[in-house]
């Protein structure tokens, strides 16, 4: 009888031999299942997949009826291995299989790699290590031996292939190889751990542990021989791929369909076998080649979606612990699949990228790779969380009632923190605790995908179906989106909140109540900008903190500028310049890193640090970039993690290197070499030395090899946490008052929040030139426009910052680079002596058509050097 792999190929090949009249079981199943499963050819790919899945189910019933499952104790009357089963011919078995598949009247047994026929007709020799069944020679795995796909066999075959000619048959029988690689149980047994293996003993030890935290390790412990798997595929790679590529693609597709049937229909599977099988399948070196990308990989992604959460966690842990070298290989294959799909498909508002199952299922699998990548990296042990900030809830019954009445209530902002990702919670991992992932986070960004997403639609799905899976939203998978794309989602979130506050004011007026101000209005004097701003913000925070979530409107006293965004930009720039000036005394400059830090000896009150936090939160909330230079530890602390020794590398590189040298020093004379006690010294804002004992009587306690780690941790904890605890707690409280309902922490990592606050550091004015639009008669080919860009590209970085400040109201580059800054250059009359002017609210530069390049340079440099304030044009 032909092998199972031949049945697979016969069911797929369009050139299957119709002239072959041999009455083999394969032909019988093929002919009878075709008569039952015929569909309309115009029905599309979905019916083809259903047809193929049904055929696979019929084949499984057929082989179960004819050959059995291999279990001598089987009691399934529809299995040939059972004593209750009737003897059937091939034709009879095919007919019964079709009926069972239609009615689903029988359970499918667990499949075994060596299909043993009826128990009374078993032809296996008890003294032999092999069993001849249906021309498939599979070694007896119960005696801890490998099948013919073991690494030693493949090595022998690949070496033999080096001397073989092009026409010689492949050493590994294709039918045997295809059957093995298309059956999850076979793959698991090929590379499964032996009963007495070290890893299995470790797994059992973890299972027997009384520690509840070890439960997950028990479930996902090492159950396959990763080293043999890697060696086998390395040897297979020596064989020319043309000998096995098409066969392997077909086998992987069959494997995925089998898994889908197991998970979706029969509901009878071993999670450990399935996950181990998937790990092995993704070790294939050619998984990123074209045939695999088009057929095998999408089908595997589809099957993995049906696995439960526990299986996803086990898959991530196996990848992180035993296959971390393959993570880049898997990630690149998934990125290539998504990119090819996105660039080759014409999406529209009707059919969006969120509706493309090939893309969405690959993204879901990439999430497992993402967490595996974090687990495989350097994870901080025992991270210390910051104390939670409690903001007194301020109820607005009228406003809450309005949310329930108006149509936009379906997209309202949540008043509670977003739930933690279930997979992250199951794996007990947080990106804040990962100091260095195995692969950089940036490798997970997919720019073509990010550019093709309709963020307004994706955001609506993200907010309305945040607790369901009925509509896919990429914002639930933020690791794949660039910071610029995610910032657009945050922009929609903040704008909807602002509009909600306006509607509340309108309803108050309708019912006759005293309407609150629909905007957050600040009226300040340029000469007293800090005092005026802090006083007004303090009053608002005390009376009704919810007003901080309204749209900001700034007015400079004595000036006529109307704030459509530009006035607010200048307000933030001026206030930041003064607040972070060391002469003001609230922050100090770190000389090595050129960053600002909280002054531990500041004379300012907690209220003032709270108001600084409000300013930072308002900048993010109103989509304004600030010229602040905090070290990364500030953003980690804002997101809920205290500073640790690793954070000193960015905060004070010299101190970090010195302490690291101490940790790396292994000599017994550490006490004499470093002569360091548990008393430390730091300087205040005036340069005076201040001493602090990390322990009682620290001056008499020297640092030794035994306590050096304790000293380093206590030193870092004091500098980054305890010494500025009062100042930072107040600062974080002000920040949270504005951002408490925002999905900021769910969408962004600390380094992305830094970009969100400070903007990009890439001053590429070529990007700005490409994205600039023209109006009033100017085009990119106009003489004055060519002169303008010729002048701009020759400016130094300081002058370029001044140009940005003049035209946009901010000298910072937006998130994503200057290509995201939509500058408009408009004609402002013929040649004249007037200086160029700008509408900073709308990024519009009004440029007269000067007669020469020299005159354009002169007028432009004067305009950007002496511009300040707003006046009527």
């Amino acid at each position: 009888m032909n092998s199972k792999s031949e049945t697979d190929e016969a069911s797929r090949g369009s050139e299957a031999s119709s002239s072959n009249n041999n009455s083999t079981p394969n032909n019988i199943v093929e002919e009878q299942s075709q008569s039952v499963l015929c569909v309309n050819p115009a029905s599309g790919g979905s019916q083809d997949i259903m047809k193929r899945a049904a055929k696979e189910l019929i084949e499984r019933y057929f082989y179960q009826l004819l050959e059995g499952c291999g279990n001598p104790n089987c009691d399934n009357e529809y299995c040939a291995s059972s004593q209750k089963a009737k003897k059937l011919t091939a034709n009879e078995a095919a007919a019964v299989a079709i009926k069972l598949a239609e009615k689903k009247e029988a359970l499918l047994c667990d499949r075994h790699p060596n299909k043993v026929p009826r128990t009374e007709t078993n032809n296996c020799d008890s003294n032999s290590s092999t069993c001849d069944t249906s021309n498939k020679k599979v070694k007896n795995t119960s005696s801890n031996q490998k099948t013919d796909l073991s690494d030693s066999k493949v090595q022998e075959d690949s070496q033999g292939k080096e001397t073989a000619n092009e026409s010689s048959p492949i050493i590994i029988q294709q039918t045997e190889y295809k059957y093995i690689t298309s059956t999850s149980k076979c793959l698991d047994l090929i590379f499964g751990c032996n009963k007495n293996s070290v890893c299995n003993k470790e797994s059992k030890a973890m299972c027997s542990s009384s520690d509840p935290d070890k439960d997950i390790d028990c479930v996902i412990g090492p159950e396959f021989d990763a080293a043999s798997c890697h060696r086998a595929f390395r040897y297979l790679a020596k064989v020319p791929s043309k000998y096995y590529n098409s066969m392997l693609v077909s086998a992987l597709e069959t494997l995925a369909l089998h898994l889908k049937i197991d998970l979706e229909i029969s509901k009878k599977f071993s999670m450990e076998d399935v996950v181990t099988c998937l790990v092995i399948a993704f070790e294939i070196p050619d998984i990123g080649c074209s045939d695999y990308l088009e057929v095998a990989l999408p089908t595997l992604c589809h099957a993995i979606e049906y696995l439960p959460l526990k299986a996803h966690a086990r898959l991530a842990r196996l990848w992180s612990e035993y296959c971390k070298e393959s993570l880049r290989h898997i990630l690149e294959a998934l990125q290539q699949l998504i990119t090819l799909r996105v660039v080759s498909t014409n999406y529209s508002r009707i059919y969006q990228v969120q509706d493309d199952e090939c893309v969405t299922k690959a993204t879901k699998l990439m999430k497992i790779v993402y967490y595996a990548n974090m687990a495989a990296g350097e994870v901080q042990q025992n991270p210390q969380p910051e104390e939670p900030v409690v903001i007194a809830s301020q109820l607005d019954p009228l406003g809450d009632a309005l949310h329930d009445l108006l149509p936009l209530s379906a997209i309202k902002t949540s008043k509670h923190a977003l739930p933690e990702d279930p997979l992250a919670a199951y794996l007990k991992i947080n990106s804040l605790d990962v100091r260095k992932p195995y692969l950089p986070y940036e490798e997970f960004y997919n720019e073509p995908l990010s550019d093709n997403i309709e963020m307004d639609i994706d955001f609506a799905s993200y907010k309305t179906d945040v607790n369901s899976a009925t509509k896919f939203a990429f914002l639930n998978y933020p690791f794949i989106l660039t910071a610029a794309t995610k910032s657009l989602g945050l922009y929609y979130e903040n704008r909807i909140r602002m509009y909600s506050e306006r509607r509340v004011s309108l309803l108050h007026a309708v019912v006759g109540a005293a309407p609150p101000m629909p905007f957050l209005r600040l009226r300040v004097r340029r000469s007293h900008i800090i005092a005026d701003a802090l006083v007004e913000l303090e009053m608002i925070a005390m009376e009704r903190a919810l007003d901080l979530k309204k749209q900001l409107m700034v007015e400079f006293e004595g000036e006529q500028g109307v704030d459509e965004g530009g006035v607010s930009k200048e307000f933030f720039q001026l206030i930041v310049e003064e607040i972070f000036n060391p002469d003001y005394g609230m922050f100090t400059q770190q000389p090595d890193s050129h960053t600002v830090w909280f002054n531990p000896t500041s004379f300012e009150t907690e209220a003032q640090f709270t108001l600084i936090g409000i300013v930072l939160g308002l900048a993010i909330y109103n989509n304004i970039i600030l010229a602040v230079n905090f070290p990364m530890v500030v953003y980690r602390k804002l997101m809920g993690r205290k500073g640790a020794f690793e954070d000193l590398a960015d905060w004070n590189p010299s101190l970090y290197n010195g302490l690291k040298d101490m940790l790396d020093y292994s000599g017994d004379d550490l006490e004499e070499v470093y002569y360091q006690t548990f008393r430390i010294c730091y300087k205040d804002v005036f340069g005076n030395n201040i001493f602090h004992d990390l322990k009682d009587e620290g001056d008499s306690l020297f640092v030794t090899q035994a306590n050096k780690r304790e000293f380093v941790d206590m030193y870092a904890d004091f500098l980054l946490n305890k010494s500025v605890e009062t100042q930072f707690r107040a600062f974080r409280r002000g920040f949270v008052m504005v951002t408490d309902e925002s999905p900021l922490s769910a969408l962004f990592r600390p380094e992305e929040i830094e970009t969100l606050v400070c903007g990009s550091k890439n001053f590429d004015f070529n990007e700005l030139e490409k994205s600039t639009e023209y109006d009033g008669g100017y085009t990119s080919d106009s003489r004055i426009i060519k002169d303008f860009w010729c002048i701009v590209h020759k400016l130094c970085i300081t002058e370029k910052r001044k140009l940005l400040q003049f035209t946009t109201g901010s000298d910072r580059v937006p998130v994503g680079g200057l290509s995201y800054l939509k500058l408009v250059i408009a004609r402002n009359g013929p040649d004249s002596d007037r200086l160029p002017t700008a509408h900073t609210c709308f990024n519009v530069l009004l440029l007269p058509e000067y007669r020469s390049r020299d005159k354009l340079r002169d007028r432009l440099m004067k305009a950007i050097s002496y511009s300040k304030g707003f006046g009527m044009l």
Side-chain angles (χ1 to χ4, degrees):
M1 186 175 65
N2 295 340
S3 69
K4 171 71 168 60
S5 60
E6 291 172 331
T7 301
D8 293 338
E9 292 192 346
S11 64
R12 288 188 182 82
S14 61
E15 68 277 10
S17 176
S18 60
S19 60
N20 187 359
N21 296 324
N22 295 331
S23 298
T24 63
N26 294 326
N27 291 335
I28 294 171
V29 174
E30 178 73 17
E31 294 170 2
Q32 297 197 26
S33 62
Q34 286 287 356
S35 65
V36 174
L37 300 172
C38 58
V39 295
N40 184 356
S43 60
S46 60
Q47 293 193 9
D48 291 339
I49 294 175
M50 294 174 60
K51 174 183 175 182
R52 184 176 295 171
K55 187 184 296 184
E56 294 290 341
L57 184 60
I58 292 173
E59 288 178 358
R60 290 190 60 183
Y61 277 123
F62 172 78
Y63 282 105
Q64 180 173 296
L65 291 164
L66 197 63
E67 299 180 11
C69 65
N71 180 11
N73 299 320
C74 180
D75 59 353
N76 187 352
E77 62 176 324
Y78 294 105
C79 178
S81 297
S82 173
Q83 297 290 347
K84 302 177 183 179
K86 298 179 181 179
K87 294 182 180 181
L88 300 175
T89 65
N91 284 327
E92 293 171 340
V96 175
I98 292 173
K99 293 181 180 179
L100 293 176
E102 290 177 344
K103 299 181 180 180
K104 299 183 178 65
E105 292 183 348
L107 292 175
L108 286 169
C109 299
D110 289 335
R111 293 170 294 172
H112 289 250
N114 47 342
K115 298 178 183 174
V116 181
R118 300 173 184 273
T119 53
E120 66 270 21
T121 60
N122 188 354
N123 296 324
C124 293
D125 186 354
S126 59
N127 297 322
S128 174
S129 63
T130 61
C131 176
D132 187 3
T133 303
S134 302
N135 297 327
K136 294 185 297 290
K137 296 180 180 178
V138 183
K139 292 186 179 180
N140 188 351
T141 55
S142 63
S143 59
N144 294 330
Q145 297 181 8
K146 303 284 185 184
T147 68
D148 285 347
L149 194 62
S150 65
D151 56 342
S152 59
K153 174 65 177 175
V154 177
Q155 180 181 19
E156 176 186 348
D157 295 342
S158 63
Q159 291 172 350
K161 174 57 63 180
E162 292 177 358
T163 59
N165 56 42
E166 290 287 325
S167 60
S168 61
I170 189 167
I171 303 300
I172 304 175
Q173 302 244 348
Q174 290 194 1
T175 55
E176 175 182 333
Y177 182 65
K178 182 176 178 182
Y179 172 73
I180 290 173
T181 54
S182 62
T183 310
S184 60
K185 193 69 176 179
C186 277
L187 282 174
D188 183 56
L189 290 174
I190 291 169
F191 300 109
C193 283
N194 297 332
K195 294 180 179 180
N196 299 322
S197 64
V198 176
C199 60
N200 205 32
K201 291 179 180 178
E202 293 176 353
S203 181
K204 289 181 180 179
M206 287 188 289
C207 289
S208 61
S209 173
S210 59
D211 187 354
D213 293 338
K214 296 292 185 180
D215 290 346
I216 185 172
D217 293 326
C218 174
V219 175
I220 62 166
E223 287 120 356
F224 79 101
D225 190 348
S228 294
C229 177
H230 296 158
R231 288 196 302 270
F233 283 119
R234 283 201 302 269
Y235 298 142
L236 182 62
K238 298 178 181 179
V239 180
S241 59
K242 65 181 181 180
Y243 288 105
Y244 62 85
N245 251 4
S246 60
M247 175 268 300
L248 187 53
V249 170
S250 178
L252 288 174
E253 186 181 17
T254 303
L255 168 65
L257 291 173
H258 283 165
L259 294 178
K260 187 173 181 295
I261 292 173
D262 282 340
L263 299 170
E264 212 179 5
I265 301 177
S266 66
K267 304 295 184 183
K268 191 173 183 180
F269 67 97
S270 170
M271 186 190 71
E272 290 79 6
D273 294 346
V274 171
V275 175
T276 303
C277 163
L278 290 171
V279 172
I280 297 169
F282 278 94
E283 289 295 304
I284 297 174
D286 296 329
I287 196 71
C289 297
S290 58
D291 291 341
Y292 296 84
L293 289 177
E294 294 176 2
V295 180
L297 188 55
T299 315
L300 286 171
C301 293
H302 187 74
I304 291 174
E305 185 184 17
Y306 292 95
L307 288 172
L309 176 63
K310 184 184 294 186
H312 287 170
R314 180 175 182 270
L315 182 58
R317 192 65 78 182
L318 286 177
W319 272 337
S320 65
E321 293 182 1
Y322 303 103
C323 303
K324 62 172 64 177
E325 296 82 4
S326 302
L327 286 177
R328 175 172 273 110
H329 171 62
I330 299 170
L331 176 60
E332 289 176 350
L334 292 172
Q335 290 282 34
Q336 192 174 359
L337 172 62
I338 294 173
T339 300
L340 288 175
R341 184 72 181 181
V342 168
V343 299
S344 62
T345 305
N346 293 323
Y347 298 109
S348 64
R349 300 287 289 189
I350 299 176
Y351 180 71
Q352 303 154 15
V353 66
Q354 291 92 337
D355 301 320
D356 192 333
E357 290 191 350
C358 182
V359 174
T360 58
K361 288 176 172 54
T363 302
K364 292 178 181 179
L365 176 57
M366 194 184 292
K367 183 173 80 168
I368 302 177
V369 180
Y370 176 73
Y371 284 112
N373 179 61
M374 288 196 293
E378 299 175 7
V379 182
Q380 179 181 344
Q381 302 299 321
N382 302 319
Q384 300 298 316
E386 287 281 352
E387 294 183 5
V389 176
V390 180
I391 304 296
S393 60
Q394 301 188 36
L395 301 179
D396 187 353
L398 197 57
D400 293 339
L402 179 64
H403 277 305
D404 297 330
L405 293 175
L406 296 181
L408 284 178
S409 62
I411 319 177
K412 62 184 178 182
T413 54
S414 173
K415 298 198 175 185
H416 304 283
L418 294 174
E420 186 180 7
D421 184 270
L423 183 56
Y426 200 94
L427 290 170
K428 299 178 181 178
I429 191 169
N430 191 308
S431 61
L432 295 176
D433 304 329
V434 180
R435 290 297 178 173
K436 185 179 179 181
Y438 185 75
L439 301 176
Y441 287 123
E442 291 75 17
E443 293 192 18
F444 286 84
Y445 292 153
N446 191 294
E447 293 187 4
L449 174 65
S450 299
D451 294 340
N452 276 273
I453 292 176
E454 299 284 351
M455 185 48 66
D456 55 342
I457 298 176
D458 194 83
F459 174 77
S461 302
Y462 172 70
K463 297 302 294 185
T464 55
D465 295 321
V466 69
N467 295 320
S468 69
T470 56
K471 181 66 174 177
F472 187 89
F474 284 100
L475 284 175
N476 287 318
Y477 302 83
F479 56 84
I480 199 173
L481 302 177
T482 62
T485 302
K486 289 185 288 189
S487 67
L488 186 58
L490 186 65
Y491 172 81
Y492 286 127
E493 165 82 18
N494 297 337
R495 287 294 166 178
I496 288 175
R497 177 72 194 194
M498 294 176 186
Y499 296 152
S500 298
E501 293 297 331
R502 293 187 196 178
R503 297 199 309 271
V504 170
S505 300
L506 176 63
L507 185 60
H508 275 277
V510 170
V511 299
M517 183 65 66
F519 301 99
L520 173 60
R521 289 192 177 275
L522 297 179
R523 183 179 176 87
V524 296
R525 296 168 293 174
R526 283 185 180 271
S527 57
H528 301 79
I529 189 170
I530 296 292
D532 292 352
L534 296 188
V535 168
E536 291 205 34
L537 288 174
E538 185 175 13
M539 293 291 293
I540 293 170
M542 292 175 59
E543 293 178 0
R544 189 174 185 270
L546 288 176
D547 287 347
L548 295 173
K549 297 186 172 79
K550 296 178 178 179
Q551 184 175 353
L552 179 64
M553 302 288 286
V554 177
E555 179 183 348
F556 285 106
E557 189 172 304
E559 298 185 17
Q560 299 171 330
V562 178
D563 190 6
E564 291 289 343
V567 181
S568 297
K569 292 178 184 177
E570 185 175 10
F571 163 76
F572 278 106
Q573 181 188 10
L574 295 175
I575 200 171
V576 164
E577 285 179 358
E578 288 203 32
I579 287 177
F580 291 98
N581 189 330
D583 296 338
Y584 200 73
M586 295 185 69
F587 294 89
T588 61
Q589 291 282 347
Q590 296 293 107
D592 289 347
S593 60
H594 303 289
T595 56
V596 295
W597 186 247
F598 303 90
N599 180 11
T601 59
S602 174
F603 299 110
E604 307 299 332
T605 63
E606 289 187 36
Q608 288 180 294
F609 280 97
T610 300
L611 298 174
I612 303 305
I614 292 176
V615 168
L616 185 65
L618 285 175
I620 295 178
Y621 191 66
N622 289 272
N623 199 32
I624 295 174
I625 296 176
L626 300 179
V628 299
N629 195 16
F630 281 128
M632 187 58 63
V633 63
V634 170
Y635 300 103
R636 292 190 74 253
K637 288 168 69 68
L638 283 175
M639 296 183 72
R641 287 293 186 273
K642 287 187 175 182
F645 166 68
E646 292 79 6
D647 294 305
L648 291 176
D650 181 53
W651 186 78
N652 191 329
S654 299
L655 176 62
Y656 172 79
N657 292 330
L659 294 177
K660 193 172 187 305
D661 288 341
M662 177 186 290
L663 290 176
D664 295 338
Y665 188 80
S666 58
D668 295 332
D669 58 344
L670 183 145
E671 183 177 345
E672 291 79 13
V673 171
Y674 285 91
Y675 203 74
Q676 174 66 52
T677 66
F678 273 74
R679 171 174 288 183
I680 62 172
C681 175
Y682 65 98
K683 294 183 178 181
D684 62 10
V685 70
F686 303 107
N688 301 321
N689 290 330
I690 300 178
F691 295 93
H692 173 76
D693 288 347
L694 298 177
K695 283 187 172 183
D696 293 339
E697 300 181 357
D699 191 33
S700 60
L701 181 61
F702 281 87
V703 177
T704 63
Q705 286 287 358
N707 61 17
K708 65 180 181 180
R709 184 71 216 190
E710 180 186 14
F711 167 77
V712 167
D713 290 338
M714 293 184 70
Y715 196 177
D717 181 54
F718 173 77
L719 292 177
L720 300 177
N721 302 314
K722 291 182 178 179
S723 65
V724 294
E725 183 176 5
T726 302
Q727 294 86 343
F728 182 80
R729 183 176 58 245
F731 173 79
R732 184 167 180 247
R733 175 180 173 80
F735 181 80
V736 172
M737 289 175 68
V738 183
T739 62
D740 60 332
E741 296 179 4
S742 170
L744 190 67
S745 60
L747 298 180
F748 298 90
R749 300 187 309 275
E751 56 269 24
E752 292 177 321
I753 293 183
E754 181 188 29
T755 303
L756 201 65
V757 173
C758 304
S760 174
K761 299 178 181 179
N762 183 19
F763 277 80
D764 188 352
F765 271 67
N766 290 317
E767 292 184 1
L768 179 61
E769 182 179 358
K770 293 177 183 178
S771 63
T772 298
E773 299 176 358
Y774 305 96
D775 196 10
Y778 284 157
T779 67
S780 59
D781 296 325
S782 300
R783 176 196 56 81
I784 190 170
I785 296 300
K786 291 182 178 181
D787 291 343
F788 173 82
W789 289 115
C790 182
I791 295 170
V792 168
H793 290 313
K794 293 180 180 180
L795 298 178
C796 65
I797 188 64
T798 303
E799 292 170 335
K800 288 181 178 179
R801 285 186 179 275
K802 289 181 179 179
L803 176 62
L804 287 178
Q805 173 69 39
F806 176 72
T807 55
T808 68
S810 172
D811 63 349
R812 315 298 290 185
V813 178
V815 181
L818 286 173
S819 60
Y820 286 83
L821 181 62
K822 302 304 180 183
L823 177 66
V824 178
I825 301 179
R827 187 176 186 272
N828 192 24
D831 177 43
S832 67
D833 292 332
R834 296 181 60 189
L835 295 177
T837 54
H839 295 301
T840 56
C841 302
F842 309 105
N843 300 339
V844 176
L845 174 62
L846 301 175
L847 194 65
E849 193 170 2
Y850 298 112
R851 65 175 180 270
S852 67
R853 180 182 298 184
D854 291 338
K855 187 173 184 179
L856 170 61
R857 180 196 299 273
D858 177 71
R859 297 297 185 269
L860 182 63
M861 296 306 297
K862 288 181 178 178
I864 66 176
S865 299
Y866 304 110
S867 63
K868 178 178 285 189
F870 294 80
M872 297 298 292
L873 298 178

